[in-house]
């Protein structure tokens, strides 16, 4: 075996969707990359006529972080194989039962988007291995040294870092407006097709409540916020409040980013559970902490425009009806962008064990009465007879119908909800 | 790498493109304040996130990626810098471990996961 190249990543997704047509659905992302590549994601779930709690996993954001797409593809293949065979999954010392795999497939919509930045990956695989950004030359002015945007600084969360953050906040972590810099954040939020595709997934699948962006390296599992220290006492002190512009990003000052105490406890608990599952495989020392900090150095690393913070922020800006618990994985505790394939295999098993645990943590805690009454199988059977999944995919025509209804209803009810929330 | 698509040429290896100079791993050791200062130095690559360690003597060591020229500048500026491996060269060497062609034949073959499925053999059949 070897690392997947950018063509194989897409072929693997198509292959999985073909092999498991009743429990997966290929998603074709609408925004093509600058070099003309179209990407795919895979929606995994049995579907029961309505969307389930969604989990979105993305990889390949930073080109040089080899192995992220391989982790995602192996995870998808493992889930689909195990569910179809009626088995559990075992990764070294971490094991999951067949019933747990069933609960993931039948009660969640897991969306795996393995390589959001194929142009950058291709460039890293073939020309300059240490490449981080995408390959968009729009801001380069013809200078090849100025090609590319850091996709993970291009999301619409405090993107305008010069206004939103304090002068004393670290400019080498926030972002850059210099196209030659590795942290160049683009001309505007969501200027890049790669981040637009992620946003599109959120718009098309509003049931997404959990998110993970898979990076390397370090063996870290990070939770929000990334712009400043979390605080749970002053709700008005938050990223939407312009009164605090120019004061974010510095430790031990008056500003802290508000997070509800329950949310903070939940994301910490999920992060710890995920890390424990990873450690259980072969004892790799992964650690969970808030992304603002660099605990090993006792320093801070404020960021703007990052995918995890933007995902979590959407609920608070009114662009999502559900809170998204968002995380960033930095796989490979040994610390290199380019492990050998034999080194990568155990890393894949580590992280995939963490991903399965993460999905189990994402399962909704409530159960509908008909579920408890074991009507589920009967319901599925009728639904799938009426709308064969081979023809309609796991959701039948409901998904299309839902989108049409949402397109009509949401613009009407959103202002009402906003008014209600603002009271 | 061979043309992987065989049709639109989108995956042809680039031709005479500009290739940035090689980057080396450099370990900078100093006090916590020194490391904090290094984190604000322009033109340094800290990886996806900075990584380092606290040493038993109370100092910290930070890993950065930089060109030979930039490492020399850091040394001239008084930082204690140990130049390590050429990470660009390691990447070039590891390219041989990137798949060639399309092992999944445009989706006609599905990949298999690496996790064990108790009761199944590795090819997916009954054990």
């Amino acid at each position: 075996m070897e690392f997947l190249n950018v063509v194989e990543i897409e072929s693997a997704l198509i292959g999985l969707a073909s092999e498991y047509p009743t429990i997966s659905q290929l998603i074709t992302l609408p925004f093509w990359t600058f070099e003309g590549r179209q990407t795919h994601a895979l929606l995994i779930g049995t579907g029961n006529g309505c969307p389930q709690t969604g989990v979105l996993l993305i990889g390949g954001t930073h080109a040089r972080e080899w192995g992220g797409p391989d982790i995602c593809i192996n995870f998808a293949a493992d889930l689909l194989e195990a569910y179809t065979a009626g088995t559990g999954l075992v990764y070294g010392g971490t094991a999951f039962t067949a019933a747990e795999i069933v609960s993931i497939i039948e009660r969640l919509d897991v969306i795996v988007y393995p390589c959001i930045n194929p142009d950058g990956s291709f460039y890293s695989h073939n020309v300059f291995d240490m490449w981080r950004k995408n390959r968009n030359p729009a801001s380069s002015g013809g200078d090849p040294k100025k090609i590319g945007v850091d996709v993970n600084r291009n999301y619409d969360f405090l993107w305008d870092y010069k206004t939103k953050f304090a002068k004393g906040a670290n400019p080498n972590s926030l972002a850059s407006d210099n196209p030659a810099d590795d942290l160049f954040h683009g001309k505007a939020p969501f200027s890049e097709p790669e981040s637009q595709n992620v946003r599109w997934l959120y718009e098309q699948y509003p049931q997404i409540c959990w998110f993970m962006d898979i990076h390397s390296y370090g063996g870290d599992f990070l939770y929000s916020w990334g712009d400043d220290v979390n605080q749970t006492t002053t709700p008005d002190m938050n990223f939407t409040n312009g009164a605090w512009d120019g004061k974010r990003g510095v430790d031990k000052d008056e500003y802290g980013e508000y997070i509800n105490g329950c949310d903070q406890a939940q994301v910490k608990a999920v992060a710890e559970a995920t890390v424990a599952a990873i450690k259980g495989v072969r004892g790799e020392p992964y650690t969970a902490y808030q992304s603002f900090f660099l605990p090993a150095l006792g320093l801070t690393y404020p960021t703007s425009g990052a995918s995890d913070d933007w995902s979590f922020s959407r609920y608070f800006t009114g662009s999502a009806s559900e809170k998204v618990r968002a995380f960033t994985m930095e796989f490979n505790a040994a610390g290199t962008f380019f492990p050998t394939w034999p080194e990568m295999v155990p890393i894949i098993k580590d992280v995939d064990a963490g991903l399965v645990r993460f999905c189990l943590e994402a399962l909704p805690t409530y159960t509908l009465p008909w579920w408890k009454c074991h009507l589920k199988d009967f319901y599925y059977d009728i639904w799938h007879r009426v709308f064969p999944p081979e023809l309609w995919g796991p959701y039948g025509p409901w998904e299309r119908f839902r989108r049409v209804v949402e397109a009509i209803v949401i613009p009407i009810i959103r202002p009402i909800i906003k008014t209600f929330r603002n009271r | 790498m061979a043309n992987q698509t065989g049709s639109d040429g989108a995956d042809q290896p680039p031709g005479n493109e500009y290739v940035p100079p090689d980057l080396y791993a450099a370990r900078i050791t100093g006090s916590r304040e020194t490391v904090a200062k290094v984190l604000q130095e322009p033109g340094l690559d800290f990886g996806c996130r900075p990584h380092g360690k606290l040493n038993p003597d109370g100092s910290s060591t930070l890993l950065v990626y930089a060109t030979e020229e930039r490492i020399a500048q850091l040394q001239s500026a008084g930082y204690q810098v140990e130049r390590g491996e050429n990470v660009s060269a390691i990447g070039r060497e590891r390219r041989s471990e990137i798949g060639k062609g399309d092992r999944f034949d445009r989706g006609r073959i599905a990949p298999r996961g690496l996790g064990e499925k108790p009761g199944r053999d590795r090819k997916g059949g009954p054990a």
Side-chain angles (χ1 to χ4, degrees):
Chain A
M1 281 290 288
E2 296 161 315
F3 286 92
L4 300 171
N5 63 49
V6 293
V7 169
E8 288 175 325
I9 293 164
E10 305 306 322
S11 294
L13 291 173
I14 296 166
L16 288 171
S18 302
E19 179 127 344
Y20 305 98
T22 59
I23 52 172
S24 69
Q25 185 177 304
L26 191 69
I27 301 169
T28 302
L29 279 300
F31 300 100
W32 292 53
T33 64
F34 173 77
E35 291 181 352
R37 293 184 175 88
Q38 188 165 37
T39 52
H40 296 89
L42 192 67
L43 169 61
I44 300 171
T46 50
N48 62 351
C50 62
Q52 306 285 330
T53 298
V55 177
L56 173 60
L57 309 171
I58 70 170
T61 299
H62 289 148
R64 63 191 178 182
E65 296 165 12
W66 294 7
D70 305 71
I71 286 169
C72 293
I73 294 289
N74 273 280
F75 169 70
D78 273 342
L79 275 188
L80 293 165
E81 277 178 62
Y83 178 81
T84 304
T87 71
L89 269 174
V90 178
Y91 299 97
T94 298
F96 302 97
T97 65
E100 287 177 316
I101 302 304
V102 167
S103 66
I104 290 172
I105 299 285
E106 296 187 358
R107 295 178 60 199
L108 293 176
D109 288 336
V110 181
I111 301 171
V112 181
Y113 186 14
C115 188
I116 75 166
N117 177 18
D119 291 357
S121 292
F122 185 78
Y123 192 73
S124 174
H125 289 171
N126 292 281
V127 181
F128 182 64
D129 310 83
M130 284 291 281
W131 191 256
R132 172 183 169 103
K133 302 184 281 183
N134 70 7
R135 294 291 299 161
N136 185 356
S139 301
S140 71
D143 183 349
K145 293 175 186 167
K146 295 181 177 177
I147 288 175
V149 171
D150 183 350
V151 180
N152 206 30
R153 295 293 185 276
N154 188 239
Y155 294 86
D156 192 9
F157 176 77
L158 299 174
W159 180 88
D160 182 12
Y161 67 99
K162 287 188 170 172
T163 305
K164 302 292 183 184
F165 285 83
K167 293 276 181 280
N170 185 355
N172 278 355
S173 67
L174 287 173
S176 171
D177 56 6
N178 175 6
D181 199 292
D182 261 352
L183 296 180
F184 177 52
H185 66 167
K187 286 180 170 176
F190 290 110
S191 59
E192 305 308 299
E194 293 83 1
S195 52
Q196 288 168 13
N197 278 330
V198 176
R199 180 175 61 181
W200 181 86
L201 282 172
Y202 273 107
E203 288 166 353
Q204 296 301 309
Y205 300 94
Q207 68 266 38
I208 295 170
C209 294
W210 297 82
F211 172 81
M212 193 192 299
D213 193 350
I214 298 169
H215 291 248
S216 80
Y217 55 82
D220 309 308
F221 193 47
L222 312 168
Y223 52 84
S224 291
W225 297 98
D227 65 311
D228 210 305
V229 183
N230 284 357
Q231 56 90 9
T232 58
T233 54
T234 316
D236 285 346
M237 190 188 287
N238 66 63
F239 68 95
T240 64
N241 188 344
W244 293 100
D245 284 358
K247 293 173 182 171
R248 300 183 182 90
V250 179
D251 193 14
K252 298 187 176 74
D253 67 350
E254 58 183 331
Y255 187 81
E257 192 61 54
Y258 177 72
I259 181 169
N260 175 296
C262 294
D263 290 342
Q264 175 158 270
Q266 186 186 34
V267 295
K268 275 185 178 177
V270 170
E272 293 294 348
T274 305
V275 162
I278 293 172
K279 281 182 182 167
V281 176
R282 58 183 175 123
E284 284 296 279
Y286 281 63
T287 49
Y289 57 94
Q290 189 198 331
S291 60
F292 178 67
F293 292 104
L294 297 172
L297 293 165
L299 297 169
T300 60
Y301 190 73
T303 52
S304 79
S307 64
D308 50 3
D309 281 342
W310 171 75
S311 297
F312 190 37
S313 75
R314 294 177 72 246
Y315 176 81
F316 306 102
T317 57
S319 52
S321 57
E322 299 282 349
K323 274 185 196 165
V324 177
R325 278 74 176 173
F327 301 81
T328 295
M329 167 74 71
E330 298 280 354
F331 67 82
N332 191 359
T336 169
F337 292 124
F338 315 119
T340 63
W341 180 253
E343 289 166 346
M344 191 66 215
V345 168
I347 294 170
I348 290 173
K349 292 179 181 176
D350 290 339
V351 181
D352 283 352
L355 294 182
V356 176
R357 171 50 56 194
F358 182 73
C359 287
L360 290 169
E361 295 294 322
L363 285 170
T365 50
Y366 58 86
T367 51
L368 297 174
W370 52 263
W371 191 284
K372 280 186 175 170
C373 295
H374 305 288
L375 286 172
K376 177 189 62 162
D377 291 341
F378 176 66
Y379 180 72
Y380 281 173
D381 191 43
I382 292 175
W383 179 265
H384 286 155
R385 274 173 199 237
V386 176
F387 301 110
E390 293 82 3
L391 293 177
W392 292 95
Y395 296 113
W398 166 250
E399 186 70 10
R400 288 168 209 176
F401 176 71
R402 180 182 64 80
R403 284 182 202 171
V404 172
V405 171
E406 278 184 359
I408 297 165
V409 172
I410 284 183
I412 298 167
I413 63 168
R414 182 170 282 164
I416 300 168
I417 293 170
K418 260 192 176 174
T419 311
F420 181 73
R421 268 200 200 139
N422 290 338
R423 279 183 186 176
Chain B
M1 185 180 288
N3 180 5
Q4 297 165 2
T5 60
S7 56
D8 60 10
D11 291 290
Q12 292 278 9
N16 298 321
E17 287 195 52
Y18 164 78
V19 180
D22 282 4
L23 295 176
Y24 291 79
R27 288 162 186 87
I28 303 175
T29 301
S31 64
R32 184 175 174 274
E33 291 69 32
T34 303
V35 169
K37 195 175 153 198
V38 173
L39 280 174
Q40 307 226 6
E41 283 277 350
L44 287 178
D45 179 348
F46 301 104
C48 191
R49 290 171 62 81
H51 284 94
K53 60 177 181 180
L54 290 172
N55 301 313
D57 64 359
S59 65
S60 299
T61 299
L62 175 68
L63 176 64
V64 305
Y65 299 106
T67 60
E68 283 187 300
E69 185 186 357
R70 190 73 183 91
I71 290 170
Q73 286 172 359
L74 290 168
Q75 287 168 332
S76 303
Y79 291 113
Q80 185 188 330
V81 186
E82 178 200 341
R83 197 188 88 172
E85 64 276 18
N86 179 338
V87 288
S88 299
I90 292 172
R92 282 193 293 273
E93 183 191 316
R94 299 278 157 82
R95 281 183 209 168
S96 62
E97 303 201 36
I98 304 288
K100 310 289 186 295
D102 183 355
R103 285 168 282 175
F104 308 114
D105 193 14
R106 298 185 184 210
R108 291 184 190 91
I109 302 166
R112 300 282 170 208
L114 292 168
E116 289 175 45
K117 289 91 190 170
R120 307 281 288 184
D121 66 19
R122 282 288 296 119
K123 290 177 182 170

